[in-house]
Each structure stands twice: as structure tokens, then as C-alpha cells.
Amino acid sequence: GINHFGVHVENMNSAIAMFKQRGVNISESRVSPTKAVLANITDPNGVRIELAELPPESLHRQAMERWKQ
């Protein structure tokens, strides 16, 4: 089964605030070694939902920009 999946968000601070306002247990954000901004939610079934903001300096965003060329 699925144990985790990721969702891209444009603004991590806004996403965290929205989820907290709705009563969701969400971690504080952290910057990964790839410079992506990450936070996690665990749903009632134990599935981890990883939120990812990909700023220009993140390796993910840089790779995406190269794909466009």
C-alpha cells in the first residue's frame, strides 16, 4: 500500500497556517539538503503526506527548469 506521497505547494507558510486552522496535525517546515522546504502531515490511516515548496535555489526546481529547455 501507499505509505507516503508528496504534494507541491507554492507557499509553505500559508499552507501550514491553512492546515493548522483546519485542525490538522502538521509539522513545522524544514529545509532539506536539496533546499526544498518540507512539512509533513500524517492522515488518520497513517499515510504521510509530504508538502514541498520548491524555491528557485532547490535542486528540484533547478531540474524542472532544465527540463523546459
Short mmCIF file of all heavy atoms in Angstrom, two decimals:
data_model
loop_
_atom_site.label_atom_id
_atom_site.label_comp_id
_atom_site.label_asym_id
_atom_site.label_seq_id
_atom_site.Cartn_x
_atom_site.Cartn_y
_atom_site.Cartn_z
N GLY A 1 0.81 -1.18 0.00
CA GLY A 1 0.00 0.00 0.00
C GLY A 1 0.86 1.26 0.00
O GLY A 1 2.08 1.22 0.06
N ILE A 2 0.21 2.34 -0.03
CA ILE A 2 0.88 3.65 -0.03
C ILE A 2 1.24 4.01 1.41
O ILE A 2 0.42 3.90 2.31
CB ILE A 2 -0.05 4.73 -0.62
CG1 ILE A 2 -0.30 4.44 -2.09
CG2 ILE A 2 0.54 6.11 -0.43
CD1 ILE A 2 -1.30 5.38 -2.73
N ASN A 3 2.48 4.43 1.62
CA ASN A 3 2.86 4.89 2.95
C ASN A 3 3.22 6.37 2.97
O ASN A 3 3.37 6.97 4.01
CB ASN A 3 3.99 4.05 3.55
CG ASN A 3 5.26 4.13 2.73
OD1 ASN A 3 5.47 5.03 1.94
ND2 ASN A 3 6.13 3.16 2.93
N HIS A 4 3.36 6.97 1.75
CA HIS A 4 3.66 8.40 1.69
C HIS A 4 3.52 8.89 0.26
O HIS A 4 3.73 8.15 -0.68
CB HIS A 4 5.07 8.63 2.28
CG HIS A 4 6.00 9.48 1.50
ND1 HIS A 4 6.97 8.95 0.69
CD2 HIS A 4 6.13 10.81 1.43
CE1 HIS A 4 7.66 9.94 0.15
NE2 HIS A 4 7.18 11.08 0.58
N PHE A 5 3.08 10.14 0.14
CA PHE A 5 3.08 10.79 -1.17
C PHE A 5 3.34 12.27 -0.97
O PHE A 5 3.21 12.80 0.13
CB PHE A 5 1.78 10.55 -1.96
CG PHE A 5 0.54 11.14 -1.34
CD1 PHE A 5 0.10 12.40 -1.72
CD2 PHE A 5 -0.19 10.43 -0.41
CE1 PHE A 5 -1.04 12.95 -1.16
CE2 PHE A 5 -1.34 10.96 0.14
CZ PHE A 5 -1.77 12.23 -0.24
N GLY A 6 3.76 12.95 -2.03
CA GLY A 6 4.12 14.35 -1.94
C GLY A 6 3.17 15.24 -2.72
O GLY A 6 2.62 14.84 -3.74
N VAL A 7 3.01 16.46 -2.22
CA VAL A 7 2.18 17.47 -2.86
C VAL A 7 2.99 18.77 -2.91
O VAL A 7 3.56 19.19 -1.90
CB VAL A 7 0.87 17.70 -2.06
CG1 VAL A 7 0.05 18.81 -2.67
CG2 VAL A 7 0.07 16.41 -1.96
N HIS A 8 3.03 19.38 -4.08
CA HIS A 8 3.73 20.66 -4.23
C HIS A 8 2.83 21.79 -3.75
O HIS A 8 1.64 21.82 -4.07
CB HIS A 8 4.10 20.87 -5.71
CG HIS A 8 4.70 22.21 -5.97
ND1 HIS A 8 4.02 23.22 -6.58
CD2 HIS A 8 5.93 22.69 -5.67
CE1 HIS A 8 4.79 24.27 -6.66
NE2 HIS A 8 5.96 23.98 -6.12
N VAL A 9 3.40 22.71 -2.97
CA VAL A 9 2.68 23.92 -2.55
C VAL A 9 3.50 25.13 -2.97
O VAL A 9 4.73 25.08 -3.02
CB VAL A 9 2.42 23.94 -1.02
CG1 VAL A 9 1.54 22.78 -0.60
CG2 VAL A 9 3.70 23.96 -0.22
N GLU A 10 2.83 26.22 -3.29
CA GLU A 10 3.51 27.44 -3.71
C GLU A 10 4.08 28.22 -2.53
O GLU A 10 5.11 28.86 -2.65
CB GLU A 10 2.58 28.34 -4.52
CG GLU A 10 2.22 27.79 -5.88
CD GLU A 10 3.40 27.72 -6.83
OE1 GLU A 10 4.33 28.54 -6.73
OE2 GLU A 10 3.40 26.81 -7.68
N ASN A 11 3.38 28.18 -1.38
CA ASN A 11 3.80 28.96 -0.22
C ASN A 11 3.61 28.10 1.03
O ASN A 11 2.49 27.89 1.48
CB ASN A 11 2.96 30.24 -0.13
CG ASN A 11 3.40 31.14 0.99
OD1 ASN A 11 3.48 30.72 2.15
ND2 ASN A 11 3.68 32.39 0.66
N MET A 12 4.73 27.61 1.56
CA MET A 12 4.67 26.68 2.69
C MET A 12 4.05 27.33 3.92
O MET A 12 3.22 26.71 4.60
CB MET A 12 6.05 26.15 3.02
CG MET A 12 6.05 25.10 4.11
SD MET A 12 5.10 23.62 3.67
CE MET A 12 6.25 22.85 2.53
N ASN A 13 4.42 28.57 4.23
CA ASN A 13 3.87 29.21 5.43
C ASN A 13 2.35 29.31 5.35
O ASN A 13 1.65 29.05 6.33
CB ASN A 13 4.50 30.59 5.64
CG ASN A 13 5.95 30.49 6.04
OD1 ASN A 13 6.38 29.50 6.62
ND2 ASN A 13 6.72 31.51 5.73
N SER A 14 1.82 29.67 4.17
CA SER A 14 0.37 29.76 4.00
C SER A 14 -0.28 28.38 4.11
O SER A 14 -1.35 28.24 4.71
CB SER A 14 0.03 30.38 2.65
OG SER A 14 0.43 31.72 2.61
N ALA A 15 0.36 27.38 3.52
CA ALA A 15 -0.19 26.02 3.57
C ALA A 15 -0.25 25.51 5.01
O ALA A 15 -1.26 24.96 5.45
CB ALA A 15 0.63 25.07 2.70
N ILE A 16 0.83 25.70 5.76
CA ILE A 16 0.87 25.26 7.16
C ILE A 16 -0.22 25.97 7.96
O ILE A 16 -0.96 25.34 8.72
CB ILE A 16 2.26 25.48 7.77
CG1 ILE A 16 3.26 24.48 7.17
CG2 ILE A 16 2.21 25.36 9.30
CD1 ILE A 16 4.70 24.72 7.58
N ALA A 17 -0.35 27.29 7.78
CA ALA A 17 -1.36 28.05 8.51
C ALA A 17 -2.77 27.55 8.18
O ALA A 17 -3.60 27.38 9.08
CB ALA A 17 -1.23 29.54 8.18
N MET A 18 -3.03 27.28 6.90
CA MET A 18 -4.35 26.79 6.49
C MET A 18 -4.65 25.43 7.12
O MET A 18 -5.73 25.22 7.67
CB MET A 18 -4.41 26.70 4.96
CG MET A 18 -5.76 26.30 4.40
SD MET A 18 -6.01 24.54 4.04
CE MET A 18 -4.64 24.12 3.02
N PHE A 19 -3.69 24.51 7.08
CA PHE A 19 -3.92 23.19 7.66
C PHE A 19 -4.10 23.27 9.17
O PHE A 19 -4.97 22.62 9.74
CB PHE A 19 -2.80 22.22 7.29
CG PHE A 19 -2.92 21.66 5.90
CD1 PHE A 19 -1.99 21.98 4.93
CD2 PHE A 19 -3.96 20.81 5.56
CE1 PHE A 19 -2.09 21.47 3.64
CE2 PHE A 19 -4.09 20.30 4.28
CZ PHE A 19 -3.15 20.63 3.31
N LYS A 20 -3.29 24.08 9.86
CA LYS A 20 -3.44 24.24 11.31
C LYS A 20 -4.81 24.81 11.65
O LYS A 20 -5.45 24.37 12.61
CB LYS A 20 -2.33 25.13 11.86
CG LYS A 20 -1.01 24.41 12.01
CD LYS A 20 0.03 25.30 12.66
CE LYS A 20 1.32 24.53 12.88
NZ LYS A 20 2.33 25.36 13.57
N GLN A 21 -5.26 25.80 10.88
CA GLN A 21 -6.57 26.41 11.11
C GLN A 21 -7.68 25.38 10.99
O GLN A 21 -8.68 25.45 11.69
CB GLN A 21 -6.79 27.55 10.12
CG GLN A 21 -8.11 28.26 10.29
CD GLN A 21 -8.31 29.34 9.25
OE1 GLN A 21 -7.74 29.29 8.16
NE2 GLN A 21 -9.11 30.34 9.58
N ARG A 22 -7.47 24.38 10.16
CA ARG A 22 -8.48 23.33 9.95
C ARG A 22 -8.30 22.15 10.90
O ARG A 22 -8.95 21.12 10.75
CB ARG A 22 -8.44 22.86 8.50
CG ARG A 22 -8.86 23.96 7.56
CD ARG A 22 -8.75 23.60 6.12
NE ARG A 22 -9.10 24.75 5.31
CZ ARG A 22 -9.38 24.70 4.03
NH1 ARG A 22 -9.36 23.55 3.39
NH2 ARG A 22 -9.68 25.79 3.37
N GLY A 23 -7.37 22.28 11.85
CA GLY A 23 -7.22 21.26 12.88
C GLY A 23 -6.32 20.09 12.52
O GLY A 23 -6.30 19.08 13.22
N VAL A 24 -5.56 20.23 11.44
CA VAL A 24 -4.67 19.15 11.01
C VAL A 24 -3.37 19.19 11.81
O VAL A 24 -2.84 20.27 12.09
CB VAL A 24 -4.36 19.29 9.49
CG1 VAL A 24 -3.33 18.29 9.04
CG2 VAL A 24 -5.64 19.16 8.69
N ASN A 25 -2.87 18.04 12.19
CA ASN A 25 -1.58 17.95 12.88
C ASN A 25 -0.49 17.96 11.80
O ASN A 25 -0.33 16.99 11.07
CB ASN A 25 -1.52 16.67 13.72
CG ASN A 25 -0.27 16.59 14.55
OD1 ASN A 25 0.47 17.57 14.67
ND2 ASN A 25 -0.01 15.44 15.12
N ILE A 26 0.23 19.06 11.71
CA ILE A 26 1.25 19.24 10.68
C ILE A 26 2.55 19.67 11.34
O ILE A 26 2.55 20.42 12.31
CB ILE A 26 0.79 20.27 9.62
CG1 ILE A 26 1.81 20.41 8.49
CG2 ILE A 26 0.46 21.60 10.24
CD1 ILE A 26 1.30 21.20 7.29
N SER A 27 3.65 19.16 10.82
CA SER A 27 4.96 19.52 11.37
C SER A 27 5.33 20.93 10.95
O SER A 27 4.77 21.49 10.01
CB SER A 27 6.03 18.55 10.86
OG SER A 27 6.26 18.74 9.47
N GLU A 28 6.28 21.49 11.66
CA GLU A 28 6.85 22.76 11.22
C GLU A 28 7.69 22.49 9.97
O GLU A 28 8.14 21.36 9.75
CB GLU A 28 7.71 23.38 12.32
CG GLU A 28 6.91 23.80 13.55
CD GLU A 28 5.82 24.82 13.24
OE1 GLU A 28 6.07 25.75 12.44
OE2 GLU A 28 4.72 24.69 13.80
N SER A 29 7.91 23.50 9.17
CA SER A 29 8.69 23.30 7.95
C SER A 29 10.17 23.20 8.27
O SER A 29 10.64 23.65 9.32
CB SER A 29 8.44 24.44 6.97
OG SER A 29 8.93 25.66 7.47
N ARG A 30 10.87 22.56 7.36
CA ARG A 30 12.33 22.45 7.45
C ARG A 30 12.86 22.52 6.03
O ARG A 30 12.16 22.27 5.06
CB ARG A 30 12.75 21.16 8.11
CG ARG A 30 12.38 19.91 7.32
CD ARG A 30 12.84 18.62 8.02
NE ARG A 30 12.45 17.45 7.27
CZ ARG A 30 13.11 16.95 6.22
NH1 ARG A 30 14.20 17.54 5.79
NH2 ARG A 30 12.68 15.88 5.59
N VAL A 31 14.13 22.88 5.91
CA VAL A 31 14.78 22.93 4.61
C VAL A 31 15.60 21.66 4.45
O VAL A 31 16.43 21.34 5.31
CB VAL A 31 15.65 24.19 4.46
CG1 VAL A 31 16.37 24.20 3.11
CG2 VAL A 31 14.80 25.44 4.61
N SER A 32 15.38 20.94 3.37
CA SER A 32 16.09 19.69 3.12
C SER A 32 17.49 19.98 2.57
O SER A 32 17.78 21.11 2.17
CB SER A 32 15.32 18.84 2.10
OG SER A 32 15.46 19.40 0.80
N PRO A 33 18.35 18.97 2.53
CA PRO A 33 19.68 19.16 1.93
C PRO A 33 19.61 19.59 0.45
O PRO A 33 20.55 20.20 -0.05
CB PRO A 33 20.33 17.78 2.06
CG PRO A 33 19.66 17.16 3.24
CD PRO A 33 18.24 17.65 3.16
N THR A 34 18.47 19.32 -0.22
CA THR A 34 18.30 19.75 -1.61
C THR A 34 17.71 21.16 -1.69
O THR A 34 17.40 21.63 -2.78
CB THR A 34 17.39 18.77 -2.37
OG1 THR A 34 16.10 18.79 -1.77
CG2 THR A 34 17.97 17.38 -2.39
N LYS A 35 17.53 21.79 -0.54
CA LYS A 35 17.00 23.14 -0.41
C LYS A 35 15.49 23.26 -0.71
O LYS A 35 14.98 24.35 -0.92
CB LYS A 35 17.81 24.14 -1.23
CG LYS A 35 19.26 24.21 -0.76
CD LYS A 35 19.99 25.35 -1.41
CE LYS A 35 21.37 25.54 -0.85
NZ LYS A 35 22.30 24.49 -1.03
N ALA A 36 14.79 22.14 -0.73
CA ALA A 36 13.33 22.16 -0.78
C ALA A 36 12.82 22.43 0.63
O ALA A 36 13.43 22.01 1.61
CB ALA A 36 12.79 20.83 -1.29
N VAL A 37 11.70 23.14 0.73
CA VAL A 37 11.08 23.41 2.02
C VAL A 37 10.00 22.34 2.21
O VAL A 37 9.11 22.21 1.38
CB VAL A 37 10.46 24.83 2.06
CG1 VAL A 37 9.85 25.10 3.43
CG2 VAL A 37 11.51 25.88 1.71
N LEU A 38 10.10 21.58 3.31
CA LEU A 38 9.23 20.42 3.52
C LEU A 38 8.46 20.51 4.83
O LEU A 38 8.96 21.07 5.81
CB LEU A 38 10.07 19.13 3.54
CG LEU A 38 10.98 18.88 2.35
CD1 LEU A 38 11.83 17.65 2.60
CD2 LEU A 38 10.18 18.75 1.07
N ALA A 39 7.28 19.92 4.84
CA ALA A 39 6.49 19.73 6.06
C ALA A 39 5.69 18.44 5.86
O ALA A 39 5.48 18.01 4.73
CB ALA A 39 5.56 20.90 6.31
N ASN A 40 5.28 17.83 6.96
CA ASN A 40 4.57 16.55 6.88
C ASN A 40 3.27 16.56 7.66
O ASN A 40 3.18 17.14 8.74
CB ASN A 40 5.45 15.43 7.43
CG ASN A 40 6.61 15.12 6.52
OD1 ASN A 40 6.43 14.58 5.45
ND2 ASN A 40 7.81 15.49 6.94
N ILE A 41 2.29 15.86 7.09
CA ILE A 41 1.01 15.59 7.72
C ILE A 41 0.89 14.07 7.74
O ILE A 41 1.30 13.41 6.79
CB ILE A 41 -0.16 16.15 6.88
CG1 ILE A 41 -0.06 17.67 6.75
CG2 ILE A 41 -1.50 15.72 7.44
CD1 ILE A 41 -0.99 18.25 5.70
N THR A 42 0.34 13.51 8.81
CA THR A 42 0.02 12.09 8.81
C THR A 42 -1.49 11.97 8.88
O THR A 42 -2.11 12.48 9.81
CB THR A 42 0.68 11.35 10.00
OG1 THR A 42 2.09 11.55 9.91
CG2 THR A 42 0.38 9.86 9.96
N ASP A 43 -2.07 11.31 7.89
CA ASP A 43 -3.53 11.19 7.85
C ASP A 43 -4.00 10.14 8.86
O ASP A 43 -3.19 9.41 9.44
CB ASP A 43 -4.04 10.95 6.43
CG ASP A 43 -3.94 9.51 5.95
OD1 ASP A 43 -3.50 8.62 6.70
OD2 ASP A 43 -4.31 9.27 4.78
N PRO A 44 -5.31 10.04 9.08
CA PRO A 44 -5.82 9.08 10.07
C PRO A 44 -5.47 7.62 9.79
O PRO A 44 -5.49 6.79 10.69
CB PRO A 44 -7.34 9.29 10.01
CG PRO A 44 -7.51 10.68 9.52
CD PRO A 44 -6.36 10.90 8.56
N ASN A 45 -5.11 7.29 8.55
CA ASN A 45 -4.73 5.91 8.20
C ASN A 45 -3.23 5.68 8.30
O ASN A 45 -2.75 4.62 7.93
CB ASN A 45 -5.21 5.58 6.79
CG ASN A 45 -6.71 5.60 6.68
OD1 ASN A 45 -7.40 5.03 7.52
ND2 ASN A 45 -7.22 6.29 5.68
N GLY A 46 -2.50 6.68 8.77
CA GLY A 46 -1.05 6.55 8.92
C GLY A 46 -0.25 6.88 7.67
O GLY A 46 0.95 6.66 7.64
N VAL A 47 -0.91 7.40 6.64
CA VAL A 47 -0.20 7.76 5.42
C VAL A 47 0.40 9.15 5.60
O VAL A 47 -0.29 10.09 6.00
CB VAL A 47 -1.15 7.75 4.19
CG1 VAL A 47 -0.43 8.24 2.95
CG2 VAL A 47 -1.71 6.36 3.97
N ARG A 48 1.69 9.26 5.32
CA ARG A 48 2.38 10.55 5.44
C ARG A 48 2.21 11.34 4.15
O ARG A 48 2.44 10.84 3.06
CB ARG A 48 3.87 10.34 5.72
CG ARG A 48 4.63 11.64 5.91
CD ARG A 48 6.05 11.39 6.42
NE ARG A 48 6.83 10.56 5.53
CZ ARG A 48 7.64 11.03 4.57
NH1 ARG A 48 7.75 12.33 4.37
NH2 ARG A 48 8.34 10.20 3.83
N ILE A 49 1.77 12.58 4.30
CA ILE A 49 1.62 13.49 3.18
C ILE A 49 2.73 14.53 3.31
O ILE A 49 2.76 15.29 4.28
CB ILE A 49 0.24 14.17 3.19
CG1 ILE A 49 -0.87 13.11 3.18
CG2 ILE A 49 0.11 15.14 2.01
CD1 ILE A 49 -2.24 13.65 3.53
N GLU A 50 3.63 14.52 2.36
CA GLU A 50 4.75 15.45 2.39
C GLU A 50 4.41 16.66 1.54
O GLU A 50 4.11 16.54 0.36
CB GLU A 50 6.00 14.77 1.84
CG GLU A 50 7.22 15.65 1.83
CD GLU A 50 8.42 14.92 1.27
OE1 GLU A 50 8.37 14.53 0.08
OE2 GLU A 50 9.38 14.74 2.01
N LEU A 51 4.42 17.84 2.15
CA LEU A 51 4.24 19.08 1.42
C LEU A 51 5.61 19.60 1.03
O LEU A 51 6.54 19.58 1.86
CB LEU A 51 3.52 20.11 2.27
CG LEU A 51 2.16 19.72 2.84
CD1 LEU A 51 1.58 20.86 3.65
CD2 LEU A 51 1.21 19.30 1.75
N ALA A 52 5.76 20.07 -0.19
CA ALA A 52 7.06 20.54 -0.67
C ALA A 52 6.90 21.86 -1.41
O ALA A 52 6.13 21.96 -2.36
CB ALA A 52 7.70 19.51 -1.59
N GLU A 53 7.62 22.86 -0.95
CA GLU A 53 7.75 24.12 -1.67
C GLU A 53 9.12 24.07 -2.34
O GLU A 53 10.11 23.72 -1.69
CB GLU A 53 7.66 25.31 -0.73
CG GLU A 53 7.84 26.64 -1.42
CD GLU A 53 7.84 27.82 -0.46
OE1 GLU A 53 7.37 27.69 0.68
OE2 GLU A 53 8.34 28.88 -0.86
N LEU A 54 9.16 24.39 -3.62
CA LEU A 54 10.40 24.26 -4.38
C LEU A 54 10.89 25.64 -4.84
O LEU A 54 10.61 26.07 -5.96
CB LEU A 54 10.17 23.34 -5.58
CG LEU A 54 9.59 21.97 -5.26
CD1 LEU A 54 9.31 21.19 -6.54
CD2 LEU A 54 10.50 21.19 -4.32
N PRO A 55 11.63 26.33 -3.97
CA PRO A 55 12.11 27.66 -4.34
C PRO A 55 13.19 27.57 -5.43
O PRO A 55 13.70 26.48 -5.71
CB PRO A 55 12.70 28.20 -3.02
CG PRO A 55 13.02 27.00 -2.22
CD PRO A 55 12.03 25.94 -2.62
N PRO A 56 13.52 28.69 -6.06
CA PRO A 56 14.49 28.67 -7.17
C PRO A 56 15.83 28.01 -6.84
O PRO A 56 16.45 27.40 -7.70
CB PRO A 56 14.69 30.15 -7.50
CG PRO A 56 13.44 30.82 -7.03
CD PRO A 56 13.00 30.02 -5.82
N GLU A 57 16.25 28.10 -5.58
CA GLU A 57 17.55 27.51 -5.21
C GLU A 57 17.49 26.00 -4.96
O GLU A 57 18.51 25.34 -4.80
CB GLU A 57 18.15 28.22 -3.99
CG GLU A 57 17.34 28.10 -2.72
CD GLU A 57 16.24 29.14 -2.57
OE1 GLU A 57 15.91 29.85 -3.54
OE2 GLU A 57 15.69 29.23 -1.46
N SER A 58 16.29 25.43 -4.94
CA SER A 58 16.17 23.99 -4.69
C SER A 58 16.62 23.20 -5.92
O SER A 58 16.42 23.62 -7.07
CB SER A 58 14.74 23.60 -4.33
OG SER A 58 13.90 23.65 -5.47
N LEU A 59 17.23 22.07 -5.67
CA LEU A 59 17.69 21.22 -6.77
C LEU A 59 16.52 20.73 -7.61
O LEU A 59 16.63 20.58 -8.83
CB LEU A 59 18.50 20.04 -6.23
CG LEU A 59 19.79 20.40 -5.49
CD1 LEU A 59 20.50 19.14 -5.02
CD2 LEU A 59 20.70 21.25 -6.35
N HIS A 60 15.37 20.51 -6.98
CA HIS A 60 14.17 20.08 -7.70
C HIS A 60 13.75 21.13 -8.72
O HIS A 60 13.48 20.82 -9.88
CB HIS A 60 13.00 19.85 -6.73
CG HIS A 60 13.25 18.83 -5.68
ND1 HIS A 60 13.98 19.10 -4.55
CD2 HIS A 60 12.87 17.54 -5.59
CE1 HIS A 60 14.03 18.02 -3.80
NE2 HIS A 60 13.36 17.05 -4.41
N ARG A 61 13.66 22.39 -8.28
CA ARG A 61 13.23 23.47 -9.17
C ARG A 61 14.24 23.66 -10.29
O ARG A 61 13.88 23.85 -11.45
CB ARG A 61 13.06 24.77 -8.38
CG ARG A 61 12.72 25.99 -9.23
CD ARG A 61 11.38 25.90 -9.88
NE ARG A 61 10.35 25.93 -8.85
CZ ARG A 61 9.07 25.72 -9.08
NH1 ARG A 61 8.65 25.46 -10.29
NH2 ARG A 61 8.20 25.75 -8.10
N GLN A 62 15.53 23.58 -9.96
CA GLN A 62 16.56 23.73 -10.98
C GLN A 62 16.43 22.64 -12.05
O GLN A 62 16.56 22.91 -13.24
CB GLN A 62 17.94 23.73 -10.35
CG GLN A 62 18.18 24.98 -9.52
CD GLN A 62 19.48 24.92 -8.74
OE1 GLN A 62 20.38 24.14 -9.04
NE2 GLN A 62 19.60 25.77 -7.73
N ALA A 63 16.16 21.41 -11.62
CA ALA A 63 15.97 20.31 -12.58
C ALA A 63 14.74 20.56 -13.44
O ALA A 63 14.77 20.37 -14.66
CB ALA A 63 15.84 18.98 -11.85
N MET A 64 13.65 21.03 -12.83
CA MET A 64 12.43 21.31 -13.58
C MET A 64 12.68 22.39 -14.63
O MET A 64 12.18 22.29 -15.76
CB MET A 64 11.32 21.74 -12.62
CG MET A 64 10.81 20.60 -11.75
SD MET A 64 9.81 21.12 -10.33
CE MET A 64 8.50 22.02 -11.08
N GLU A 65 13.45 23.40 -14.28
CA GLU A 65 13.75 24.47 -15.23
C GLU A 65 14.58 23.94 -16.39
O GLU A 65 14.38 24.36 -17.53
CB GLU A 65 14.45 25.63 -14.53
CG GLU A 65 13.59 26.37 -13.53
CD GLU A 65 12.32 26.97 -14.14
OE1 GLU A 65 12.39 27.49 -15.27
OE2 GLU A 65 11.25 26.90 -13.49
N ARG A 66 15.49 23.01 -16.13
CA ARG A 66 16.30 22.42 -17.20
C ARG A 66 15.44 21.60 -18.15
O ARG A 66 15.71 21.53 -19.34
CB ARG A 66 17.44 21.57 -16.63
CG ARG A 66 18.57 22.39 -16.03
CD ARG A 66 19.80 21.55 -15.74
NE ARG A 66 19.57 20.48 -14.81
CZ ARG A 66 19.67 20.58 -13.47
NH1 ARG A 66 20.00 21.73 -12.91
NH2 ARG A 66 19.44 19.54 -12.70
N TRP A 67 14.38 20.95 -17.63
CA TRP A 67 13.50 20.14 -18.48
C TRP A 67 12.80 21.00 -19.53
O TRP A 67 12.45 20.53 -20.59
CB TRP A 67 12.45 19.42 -17.65
CG TRP A 67 12.99 18.40 -16.70
CD1 TRP A 67 14.18 17.74 -16.76
CD2 TRP A 67 12.35 17.93 -15.51
NE1 TRP A 67 14.32 16.90 -15.69
CE2 TRP A 67 13.21 16.99 -14.91
CE3 TRP A 67 11.13 18.22 -14.91
CZ2 TRP A 67 12.89 16.33 -13.74
CZ3 TRP A 67 10.82 17.56 -13.74
CH2 TRP A 67 11.69 16.63 -13.17
N LYS A 68 12.57 22.27 -19.18
CA LYS A 68 11.86 23.19 -20.09
C LYS A 68 12.70 23.57 -21.31
O LYS A 68 12.16 24.03 -22.29
CB LYS A 68 11.45 24.45 -19.35
CG LYS A 68 10.41 24.23 -18.28
CD LYS A 68 10.08 25.54 -17.59
CE LYS A 68 9.09 25.35 -16.47
NZ LYS A 68 8.81 26.62 -15.79
N GLN A 69 14.00 23.41 -21.19
CA GLN A 69 14.89 23.87 -22.27
C GLN A 69 14.94 22.92 -23.43
O GLN A 69 14.73 21.82 -23.48
CB GLN A 69 16.30 24.08 -21.71
CG GLN A 69 16.29 25.16 -20.66
CD GLN A 69 17.65 25.33 -19.99
OE1 GLN A 69 18.62 24.67 -20.35
NE2 GLN A 69 17.71 26.18 -19.02
#
